[in-house]
Amino acid sequence: MSVERDTGRGGRIRLVVAYDGSGFHGFARQSGLRTVQGVLEDTISGMLGVPVEVHGSGRTDAGVHARAQVIHFDQAFGPTADRYVHVLSRRLPADIIPVQATEVDSGFHARFSVVRKSYRYSVHKSKIPDVFRYRFTWNVPTALDLTAMRRAANHLVGEHDFTSFCAAAAPQENKIRTLYRFDIEETDDEILFYCEGNGFLQYMVRIMVGTVVDVGLGKFLDTAVPDMLSVRSRASAGRTAPPQGLCLWNVEYPPEYGGKVLDL
């Protein structure tokens, strides 16, 4: 019997992990494919010696990264929460990093207790792609009109039916979401998009970013965005931005569960 099994106790563990999504077929377990959930379940189950089911705050797509993915799982015995980051850092592969672990009550659920999520999308503005950034940014070699892009982004803030800005086959019947924030920041060589909302549909952030970039390239007027929303058809909006620029940035829970899991 391992040290972890001898010295710990049961309970529900909330774990925050960061990962480089480049080597994963998304978060959700898929038979025969390497996924974040699959690696976490296999690692924790192997450590505890019993099957463990991991629940995530949401499903990131293949190639999408996370700074603050939240999971929870129940254990009949195991390390105390304050030991999990140390224990798992020795067992997980280099592209998944345990960041924070706490013990929570049985009322907490990584997905259903979420009140807000935020994503960051990174565009590298350079005529020549950077070999050290290509896995984490979308290279756009053409100059972009940021003023028009910000106007387009503002049209998306608020409560809307986002049918036009999600995958046509998105499984959710209710496509109404509230976007609290869609900010665009510029650095010397990057454009950073920050999206915060009460929930996101499949490909929603990537389609919003792709559409706003298309506005910046002059393919659409920013004034076309309200019409895109009202039509409720995926064909009306712009392109889907590639996955590698997207990162799950933060997750927020009610005050009794600590609010945002990361301070920044």
Side-chain angles (χ1 to χ4, degrees), residues 109-118 178 180 196-200 251-257 259-260:
H109 194 285
R111 177 184 173 191
F112 298 121
S113 299
V114 172
V115 294
R116 292 190 184 202
K117 283 185 185 177
S118 59
T178 301
Y180 301 114
E196 183 175 320
N198 65 351
F200 293 89
V251 181
E252 184 175 348
Y253 293 97
E256 59 267 30
Y257 292 123
K260 289 185 178 181

Side-chain angles (χ1 to χ4, degrees), residues 148-247:
M149 290 166 61
R150 290 189 173 109
R151 289 197 300 262
N154 285 337
H155 288 303
L156 294 166
V157 175
E159 183 180 87
H160 304 287
D161 185 317
F162 283 95
T163 299
S164 299
F165 292 87
C166 70
Q172 301 92 339
E173 290 187 13
N174 182 5
K175 304 296 195 300
I176 296 175
R177 298 292 186 273
T178 301
L179 189 64
Y180 301 114
R181 173 190 179 206
F182 192 1
D183 295 339
I184 302 173
E185 299 180 4
E186 185 178 25
T187 69
D188 289 342
D189 58 0
E190 285 191 348
I191 300 171
L192 302 173
F193 300 79
Y194 291 92
C195 302
E196 183 175 320
N198 65 351
F200 293 89
L201 302 162
Q202 186 178 23
Y203 302 162
M204 179 174 159
V205 176
R206 290 168 57 192
I207 295 170
M208 291 194 303
V209 170
T211 301
V212 169
V213 167
D214 280 345
V215 169
L217 292 170
K219 296 182 178 181
F220 300 107
L221 295 175
D222 64 272
T223 52
V225 173
D227 290 336
M228 294 176 185
L229 285 166
S230 64
V231 169
R232 299 180 187 177
S233 168
R234 172 65 189 94
S236 70
R239 78 179 90 181
T240 303
Q244 71 271 11
L246 184 60
C247 181

